[in-house]
Structures are given as structure tokens and as C-alpha cells.
Amino acid sequence: AKKAGRDTLQFFDPRMQQVVRERATLEQDLRTGLAQQQFELFFQPQVEDGSIIGAEGLVRWRHPGKGFVSPANFIPLAEESGLIVPLGEWVLRTACEQLARWAQDPALSELVVAVNVSPRQFYQAQFVDQVLAALAVTGAPPSRLKLELTEGLLLTDIDDTIAKMVQLKQHGVGFSLDDFGTGYSSLAYLKRLPLDQLKIDQSFVRDVLTDPNDAAIAKTIVALGMSLGLRVIAEGVETEAQRAFLHEHGCHAWQGYLLSPPVPVAQLETLVRRERQT
Ligand code: C2E
Ligand code: CA
Ligand code: CA
Ligand code: CA
């Protein structure tokens, strides 16, 4: 490699160069994908006290050459490149359109949709207006929309975060703290946030039956939620034994492969209708 400054030296590593090139291509593909509507919103049912009360919206990208690309691979890039702002806006709009359609159907009108919000999207000065516009334009009932925030949001500007949450809450929008326990949020902040729900991360659920530390963390989150007056939902529940353990320890809401992976909206509706009939 050529003699260069510390930061530029790695740029001459051919492997690094390839990574950089692939990222640039993927970023361009993301832009194209947004323009050509290659994205679809899937829904994973959320269960409370034995029945489906709503669903989490999870974006899927049908890449023309690569097939389905996992959000784990493109959300971070969308976040870094700023494309998360238009993508997030599309997700919000799509979720609200769904809520508005369901509002017309007595069998589905009670469903809540949880939408993931990236920090960069949330930090936009227009974020509150963006959400309110999506609700107003579609006619979706605000109380059926729940926003999933991550602890990363709490690091930058807690007062701004609270102010935005309060404004949206005044319209009836709910808030869930996603991946709880994996980040750095302090309990003092937690108390100040106008949250409705904590979400136990799947990394604690996975081994909840075999790892006493994970079991202790899960139980602690449930107890914390209770004492703060928050609902608690567990994600990544794959087995009946995990569900039963969580239930026994006071967590009555969950989502996971045990019931269903994220599915296209028609499939979610079928699941709900089938359940309501029995
Ligand atoms: P997340 O919000 O923590 O979503 C949960 C992930 O766990 C989803 O992966 C879901 O498909 C998966 N999952 C659900 N049930 C189970 C289970 O029982 N077992 C296992 N092993 N996994 C389960 P997915 O859909 O690939 O999404 C990954 C991440 O990408 C999400 O994590 C979220 O951070 C992000 N993401 C997805 N859609 C959106 C979106 O519309 N906007 C934003 N900002 N981020 C999104
Ligand atoms: Ca989530
Ligand atoms: Ca999560
Ligand atoms: Ca997670």
C-alpha cells in the first residue's frame, strides 16, 4: 500500500475497496427501489392474553437481482445514507393506509399497528408533522398507531425526544421501547419518557429457559414495566415453553414464530379472521 495518512491507508486495501463499491451499489439500488416501489410491508401478529391485538410492520425489499434483501442488511445503510427518511415515510404511510382500511371492517378495526422508527428519522425536525400528515391523509385512527423506538434515541437529545413523544401522544399515538435492555438507557430516563410499552428483546427470550441470566433479565423487565405502569411484550417467542414461562412471570403479550413469522397483509388478515371465528 502507498504511504498515506492513517485514515486513507486502508482505502488502498482491495478488500476494503470492494466493500465500499458494494455499498455504493446497494445505496443506488435502494434509491431505485424506492422510486420503483420494490418495498412491501409485512406484518407479524402480536398476541395479548391469547388473542391477536395487532401486528408489527416489518419492511421487505424485493430486489430485482438479489431476491428478498433482509432489513438487517439495508436498514443500517439507509440510516447512514439518509434514505431512511423517505423509506420511513413510506412505511408510515403504508401502515396508516392499512389502519384506515381495517377501520372499515368490524373484524379488524381494533388492530394496532406497530411501526419501527429509526433514530435518524425521529430526529428530523418534521418528524411529528410527518406522522400527523400520514394519519390525516389516510384517515387512520391515531390510537391504533404505535411507534417502536430504540434506546439509541435517548442518547442524543432527551428533551427533544420527550417533546416529540408528548406531541404525538396528545393525538393518541402510542410508544413502545424496542430491544429493551440491549442499549444504554438509564432508568432515570425511562421514568421521564411517555412510553406505553417495553419490548423484551429476543436475545433474552431465546435462552430464557436455559440461561438463568436471561431469565433474570426477562423477569426484571416485567417487574420494571409493572412498577412503571407499562405494558410489556416479548419478541422472538418460538416455543410454547418460552411463552408459558413468560406468561407465568407476568408477561402476557408476545410475538414470534410460535404463532407466525412476518407475513403479507392478506395472510395476517386470515389469521385474525380465523381466530375471531373460533
Ligand atoms: P426488530 O424491530 O427487533 O424486529 C424483530 C425481528 O425479529 C424481525 O426481523 C422479525 O422478523 C424477527 N423475528 C420475529 N419473530 C421471530 C422469532 O420468533 N424468532 C426469530 N429468530 N426472529 C424473529 P426482520 O424483519 O428481519 O427485521 C430486522 C430489523 O430491521 C428489525 O428488528 C428492525 O430493527 C429493522 N426494521 C425492519 N423493518 C423496519 C422498518 O420498517 N423501519 C425501520 N426503521 N426498521 C425496520
Ligand atoms: Ca421492532
Ligand atoms: Ca425488537
Ligand atoms: Ca430485536
Side-chain angles (χ1 to χ4, degrees):
K2 235 170 113 179
K3 201 169 178 198
R6 238 167 162 275
D7 297 331
T8 47
L9 188 63
Q10 55 178 355
F11 215 79
F12 292 93
D13 177 339
R15 262 194 333 233
M16 268 305 290
Q17 224 168 19
Q18 198 194 334
V19 169
V20 169
R21 218 181 296 124
E22 274 172 12
R23 288 174 53 102
T25 311
L26 195 62
E27 191 181 319
Q28 188 49 50
D29 286 0
L30 260 178
R31 266 178 230 285
T32 312
L34 264 169
Q36 301 186 350
Q37 302 178 332
Q38 293 165 3
F39 293 90
E40 193 176 338
L41 199 58
F42 274 31
F43 293 89
Q44 181 175 42
Q46 297 185 327
V47 176
E48 194 169 303
D49 295 320
S51 53
I52 298 172
I53 52 128
E56 176 177 5
L58 292 154
V59 70
R60 295 292 178 263
W61 181 15
R62 211 187 295 268
H63 187 285
K66 296 183 182 142
F68 275 111
V69 181
S70 162
N73 293 329
F74 68 82
I75 294 285
L77 181 62
E79 175 97 358
E80 278 167 50
S81 61
L83 285 168
I84 194 67
V85 174
L87 179 63
E89 203 164 354
W90 177 85
V91 169
L92 258 174
R93 179 68 67 97
T94 305
C96 288
E97 282 168 356
Q98 203 49 251
L99 281 172
R101 274 195 288 271
W102 286 342
Q104 308 299 319
D105 184 330
L108 306 171
S109 61
E110 311 268 276
L111 294 175
V112 169
V113 169
V115 168
N116 292 285
V117 177
S118 284
R120 178 126 176 212
Q121 184 187 1
F122 187 90
Y123 286 137
Q124 297 284 306
Q126 325 84 293
F127 178 71
V128 170
D129 292 335
Q130 194 186 98
V131 176
L132 295 178
L135 289 164
V137 166
T138 57
S143 62
R144 303 281 164 214
L145 180 66
K146 185 158 63 187
L147 301 180
E148 294 198 357
L149 308 180
T150 54
E151 293 170 273
L153 277 182
L154 310 181
L155 297 176
T156 309
D157 189 342
I158 183 86
D159 293 317
D160 176 65
T161 299
I162 293 173
K164 283 176 168 159
M165 289 174 75
V166 166
Q167 283 183 66
L168 288 168
K169 267 199 93 69
Q170 282 166 350
H171 288 84
V173 174
F175 288 94
S176 183
L177 192 55
D178 204 357
D179 302 341
F180 184 66
T182 62
Y184 314 88
S185 59
S186 91
L187 297 181
Y189 284 169
L190 198 59
K191 192 184 70 178
R192 292 181 56 200
L193 293 176
L195 287 166
D196 302 279
Q197 189 177 60
L198 299 177
K199 201 160 184 182
I200 305 176
D201 189 63
Q202 63 186 59
S203 62
F204 304 124
V205 172
R206 191 176 305 124
D207 301 320
V208 79
L209 297 169
T210 50
D211 184 333
N213 292 325
D214 287 340
I217 291 170
K219 287 191 245 178
T220 302
I221 295 174
V222 174
L224 184 64
M226 272 181 188
S227 64
L228 292 173
L230 304 173
R231 304 157 94 124
V232 177
I233 185 169
E235 71 175 7
V237 175
E238 297 184 352
T239 68
E240 171 54 26
Q242 289 168 339
R243 189 207 61 76
F245 178 94
L246 290 159
H247 191 268
E248 192 181 315
H249 291 94
C251 178
H252 307 300
W254 59 277
Q255 66 186 91
Y257 296 168
L258 174 60
L259 176 63
S260 169
V263 290
V265 66
Q267 249 170 282
L268 176 83
E269 291 174 350
T270 302
L271 275 170
V272 175
R273 290 185 201 283
R274 199 178 294 155
E275 182 200 82
R276 302 283 196 265
Q277 273 162 15
T278 52

